[in-house]
């Protein structure tokens, strides 16, 4: 998952203010400043473009706002941000194929998006930071080996062909800073009450199926349309998270100590046929895999989705308007559901990755200015500015911690669209470039979260994480296989797994669904899978490997 990034990346804060000293912006970058002169920040403003590659992300109504103005005043750099509408992986491939490149790119640190950035590095389309990074301590700290998950460090952050191109953001600085987004299934409380089912009594695959069926059989309607038992957000995010009831991780032990991709297991077949059953019986919204976020949000605003799957902040945001108009219709957790291979008392294994990889492209007008900007954003002062706004205007320091000014807290809380906060420059994507996440170890948490929201999150955490959490530090075979000699020919086949799964769950029969899967299995085998897995098993011999994983 990721996907999403949700977009949504709500890491916060750090406190210790840096001094007024700013890093000098020399004129020795890869090109001239945007105003046409080869100027440093001390003389004329440099304009830099940023692509925030998260589907559905957005900024303020105008190109400037208080936070962007403050950044310009402090650094001499004017920032213009563009946003992605659609697939993040497709966007990565498109910008490098068309050379429609920003100065700075920031996007998901996993999946096809990361693969696209690695490809760009190998093609010489990114700025080599190897000899520059030590001049920027905040950036250097975030990509230090001890601060990056081991497999990801080996795959990308530690270097590509011996050169460092990538910056890494939002990895928790300490265990206190782990941001558990509470992925899961959530049901509208009023609907659960109507059908007489306690959401916490739903534990197994059968329980969940029967729960959805009971919702459908109740023939509920809203705004003249039937209530859909289960739905999600854009492009199917994240309705497939029921997979954790069937298998623990993407690579499974075959029983002899060697690994295979879960796509080749019976557990994957069972998972697929389960979802095919949901689709065929009208329990899962068939449009969930093709709809846009605005369409998904409109269904939620109309009260037409009984159960939503995603992380909880996204659900709280999307349902805020409907809940305000219909008290008691809050979405509450379902379960916790069983996890394949996990003991009942086991802490939830969270696959924590920093939300973003950030790079400077070869089209950057001024590399030194880009690094200066990123280092400032990753400083405590920049972190504070980006997440909280202007000190003295939006917030004050109280007992050594940031505290929201009441007038702005009330204004942001009353705004169900989130636009009021964005128009001040908060939550516009800059937070994706702020180094290590220090939300609790240094900062004061989310000062803009209203008390009802915090209460809902705490309640969900108690339900879904009864035994706490455990942050995964083991090696992910999915990162290792991409370094195999076969990966270039294997990757196009592996990339089809998600699309083929969607084809399978819409198949007319179970046999037809399994045929779709088996056809791709054969193709994957024919493009180097067996040799690639030999490489993976040899590389991971004697190392701890991820066996159970939940998205954070």
């Amino acid at each position: 998952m990721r996907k999403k990034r949700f977009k949504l990346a709500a890491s916060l804060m750090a406190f210790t203010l840096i001094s007024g000293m700013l890093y000098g912006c020399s004129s020795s970058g890869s090109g001239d400043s945007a105003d046409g002169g080869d100027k440093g920040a001390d003389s004329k403003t440099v304009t830099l473009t940023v692509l925030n590659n998260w589907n559905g992300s957005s900024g303020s109504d105008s190109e400037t706002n208080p936070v962007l103005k403050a950044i310009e005043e402090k650094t001499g750099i004017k920032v213009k941000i563009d946003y992605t509408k659609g697939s993040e992986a497709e966007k990565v491939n498109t910008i490098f194929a068309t050379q429609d490149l920003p100065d700075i790119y920031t996007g998901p640190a996993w999946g096809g998006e990361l693969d696209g950035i690695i490809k760009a590095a190998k093609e010489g389309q990114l700025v080599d930071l190897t000899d520059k990074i030590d001049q920027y301590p905040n950036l250097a700290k975030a990509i230090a080996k001890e601060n990056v998950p081991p497999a990801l460090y080996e795959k990308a952050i530690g270097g590509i062909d011996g050169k460092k191109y990538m910056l890494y953001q939002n990895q928790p600085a300490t265990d206190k800073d782990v941001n558990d987004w509470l992925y899961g299934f959530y049901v509208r409380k009023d609907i659960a009450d109507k059908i007489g089912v306690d959401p916490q009594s739903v534990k197994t695959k059968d329980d969940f199926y029967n729960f959805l069926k009971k919702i459908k059989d109740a023939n509920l309607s809203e705004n003249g349309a039937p209530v859909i038992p289960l739905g999600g957000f854009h492009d199917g995010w994240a309705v497939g998270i029921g997979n954790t009831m069937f298998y623990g991780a993407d690579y499974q032990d075959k029983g002899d100590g060697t690994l295979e991709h879960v796509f080749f297991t019976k557990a994957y077949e069972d998972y697929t046929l389960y979802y095919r059953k949901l689709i065929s019986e009208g329990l899962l919204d068939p449009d969930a895999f093709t709809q846009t976020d605005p369409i998904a949000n409109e269904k939620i605003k109309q009260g037409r989705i009984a159960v939503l799957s995603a992380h909880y902040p996204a659900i709280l945001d999307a349902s805020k308007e409907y809940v305000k108009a219909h008290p008691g219709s809050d979405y509450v957790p379902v379960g916790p559901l069983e996890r394949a291979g996990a003991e009942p008392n086991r802490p939830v294994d969270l696959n924590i990755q920093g939300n973003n990889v950030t790079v400077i492209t070869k089209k950057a007008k001024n590399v030194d200015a880009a690094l200066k900007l990123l280092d400032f954003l990753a400083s405590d002062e920049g972190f504070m500015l980006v997440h909280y706004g202007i000190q003295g205007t939006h917030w004050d320091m109280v007992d050594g911690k940031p505290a929201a000014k009441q007038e702005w807290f009330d204004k942001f809380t009353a705004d169900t669209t989130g636009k009021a906060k964005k128009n001040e420059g908060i939550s516009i994507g800059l937070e994706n470039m702020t180094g290590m996440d220090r939300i609790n170890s240094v900062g004061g948490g989310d000062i803009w979260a209203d008390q009802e929201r915090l209460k809902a999150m705490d309640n969900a955490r108690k339900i879904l994480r009864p035994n706490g959490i455990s942050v995964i530090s083991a090696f992910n075979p999915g990162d290792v296989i991409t370094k195999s000699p076969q990966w270039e020919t294997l990757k196009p086949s592996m990339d089809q797994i998600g699309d083929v799964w969607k084809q399978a769950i819409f198949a007319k029969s179970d046999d037809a669904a399994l045929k779709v899967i088996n056809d791709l299995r054969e193709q994957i085998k024919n493009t180097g899978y067996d040799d690639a897995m030999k490489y993976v098993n040899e590389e991971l011999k004697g190392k701890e490997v991820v066996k159970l994983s939940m998205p954070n």
Side-chain angles (χ1 to χ4, degrees):
M1 154 108 339
R2 108 210 205 181
K3 177 117 187 104
K4 253 173 153 358
R5 35 253 268 311
F6 176 67
K7 333 282 108 259
L8 359 120
S11 305
L12 281 171
M13 225 19 353
F15 157 51
T16 313
L17 297 177
I18 66 170
S19 69
M21 296 181 65
L22 300 174
Y23 293 101
C25 175
S26 75
S27 59
S28 60
S30 62
D32 292 341
S33 61
D35 60 14
D38 188 12
K39 302 287 195 284
D42 293 333
S43 53
K44 279 198 175 181
T45 297
V46 177
T47 299
L48 297 177
T49 57
V50 174
L51 173 62
N52 187 54
N53 190 29
W54 288 100
N55 180 28
S57 57
S58 62
S60 55
D61 288 333
S62 64
E63 285 192 354
T64 189
N65 54 60
V67 169
L68 289 177
K69 287 179 180 177
I71 291 171
E72 185 175 343
E73 290 170 359
K74 291 174 180 293
T75 66
I77 299 168
K78 184 174 183 178
V79 181
K80 291 186 176 181
I81 311 176
D82 290 325
Y83 302 91
T84 293
K85 307 297 180 188
S87 165
E88 292 96 341
E90 289 180 9
K91 186 68 172 180
V92 170
N93 294 328
T94 298
I95 63 173
F96 287 107
T98 63
Q99 291 295 291
D100 182 18
L101 297 172
D103 296 301
I104 298 169
Y105 164 95
T106 190
W110 51 71
E113 298 88 345
L114 179 59
D115 291 341
I117 293 298
I118 293 173
K119 181 174 181 288
K122 292 181 176 180
E123 292 174 348
Q125 299 203 63
L126 307 179
V127 173
D128 177 9
L129 305 177
T130 308
D131 296 330
K132 295 177 178 288
I133 196 68
D134 288 342
Q135 302 170 40
Y136 301 91
N138 298 312
L139 303 180
K141 181 177 181 180
I143 64 169
K145 188 173 183 179
E146 64 270 19
N147 293 327
V148 181
L152 183 61
Y153 186 86
E154 290 188 5
K155 176 180 180 179
I157 305 302
I160 303 295
D161 298 331
K163 298 178 180 179
K164 294 184 178 181
Y165 298 94
M166 302 179 203
L167 303 174
Y168 187 53
Q169 268 99 14
N170 301 136
Q171 179 73 4
T174 71
D175 288 346
K176 294 179 181 178
D177 300 305
V178 172
N179 189 11
D180 182 358
W181 293 62
L182 297 170
Y183 271 90
F185 294 101
Y186 293 80
V187 64
R188 273 200 7 219
K189 186 177 182 301
D190 58 326
I191 290 179
D193 290 342
K194 284 179 183 177
I195 65 171
V197 176
D198 177 2
Q200 273 67 74
S201 70
V202 180
K203 302 289 187 184
T204 69
K205 307 177 194 72
D206 289 341
D207 290 344
F208 189 61
Y209 165 77
N210 291 328
F211 184 49
L212 296 178
K213 194 170 187 308
K214 197 161 186 178
I215 293 172
K216 181 176 174 57
D217 291 344
N219 294 316
L220 303 174
S221 64
E222 289 276 0
N223 286 295
V227 168
I228 301 168
L230 173 61
F233 288 83
H234 63 276
D235 301 327
W237 181 70
V239 294
I241 59 176
N243 61 354
T244 57
M245 294 187 289
F246 294 85
Y247 55 87
D250 286 342
Y251 289 81
Q252 302 287 300
D253 191 324
K254 292 194 293 186
D256 60 1
T258 62
L259 300 166
E260 67 178 339
H261 194 281
V262 71
F263 185 67
F264 290 88
T265 67
K266 185 177 185 302
Y268 195 89
E269 295 176 358
D270 293 342
Y271 159 60
T272 303
L273 297 182
Y274 183 88
Y275 269 77
R276 197 196 81 78
K277 186 176 182 180
L278 298 184
I279 288 285
S280 63
E281 296 186 13
L283 304 180
L284 170 58
D285 184 0
D287 297 327
F289 301 96
T290 56
Q291 68 189 3
T292 62
D293 250 352
I295 291 174
N297 284 324
E298 187 60 29
K299 290 177 181 176
I300 298 167
K301 289 178 182 178
Q302 292 176 359
R304 294 184 53 212
I305 308 295
V307 178
L308 269 171
S309 57
H311 61 54
Y312 203 21
I315 292 171
L316 291 172
D317 288 342
S319 62
K320 187 174 182 179
E321 187 173 313
Y322 185 85
V323 171
K324 187 175 182 180
H326 302 81
S329 62
D330 315 63
Y331 281 91
V332 296
V334 176
L337 297 170
E338 62 185 350
R339 289 196 297 143
E343 296 296 326
N345 61 348
R346 182 184 177 95
V348 170
D349 307 81
L350 289 186
N351 185 25
I352 302 291
Q353 280 196 137
N355 295 316
N356 280 62
V357 160
T358 301
V359 296
I360 301 172
T361 77
K362 278 289 190 176
K363 290 292 185 80
K365 294 177 285 295
N366 190 317
V367 172
D368 290 331
L371 284 165
K372 175 186 178 182
L373 170 68
L374 293 169
D375 198 60
F376 170 72
L377 293 177
S379 70
D380 289 347
E381 182 183 8
F383 211 141
M384 196 85 76
L385 172 64
V386 164
H387 288 284
Y388 292 168
I390 311 297
Q391 183 175 3
T393 299
H394 300 109
W395 60 278
D396 291 313
M397 293 300 297
V398 178
D399 297 328
K401 295 289 183 181
K405 281 188 173 276
Q406 193 64 45
E407 60 185 288
W408 288 103
F409 181 90
D410 293 342
K411 184 174 182 178
F412 293 163
T413 300
D415 174 33
T416 59
T417 68
K419 185 58 72 173
K421 188 183 294 184
K422 291 179 183 292
N423 285 340
E424 295 303 306
I426 305 167
S427 300
I428 63 171
L430 292 169
E431 67 278 3
N432 295 334
M433 301 180 289
T434 49
M436 298 190 74
D437 177 17
R438 292 92 86 192
I439 181 172
N440 293 317
S441 61
V442 178
D446 184 0
I447 66 172
W448 302 119
D450 64 64
Q451 292 303 307
E452 288 303 312
R453 183 188 181 94
L454 291 176
K455 182 179 178 182
M457 291 289 290
D458 287 343
N459 182 63
R461 188 171 292 108
K462 290 174 184 176
I463 293 171
L464 297 178
R465 311 292 190 244
N467 303 303
I469 62 172
S470 175
V471 178
I472 295 171
S473 59
F475 280 82
N476 183 347
D479 290 330
V480 177
I481 196 172
T482 63
K483 299 180 73 174
S484 69
Q486 297 76 26
W487 182 244
E488 187 174 346
T489 56
L490 178 60
K491 181 180 184 299
S493 298
M494 296 289 283
D495 284 347
Q496 295 179 45
I497 290 176
D499 289 337
V500 163
W501 180 77
K502 293 175 188 176
Q503 293 175 31
I505 66 173
F506 281 97
K508 293 182 179 180
S509 68
D510 285 356
D511 286 343
L514 294 176
K515 183 180 186 305
V516 172
I517 289 175
N518 284 325
D519 286 347
L520 181 58
R521 284 172 170 171
E522 183 176 354
Q523 179 180 325
I524 291 173
K525 288 274 190 180
N526 291 337
T527 51
Y529 171 80
D530 288 334
D531 288 337
M533 286 309 302
K534 286 180 182 177
Y535 172 88
V536 170
N537 282 302
E538 288 172 3
E539 287 292 308
L540 292 177
K541 193 174 295 183
K543 296 180 180 178
E544 184 184 1
V545 176
V546 175
K547 295 180 180 178
L548 288 167
S549 175
M550 289 278 284
N552 75 311

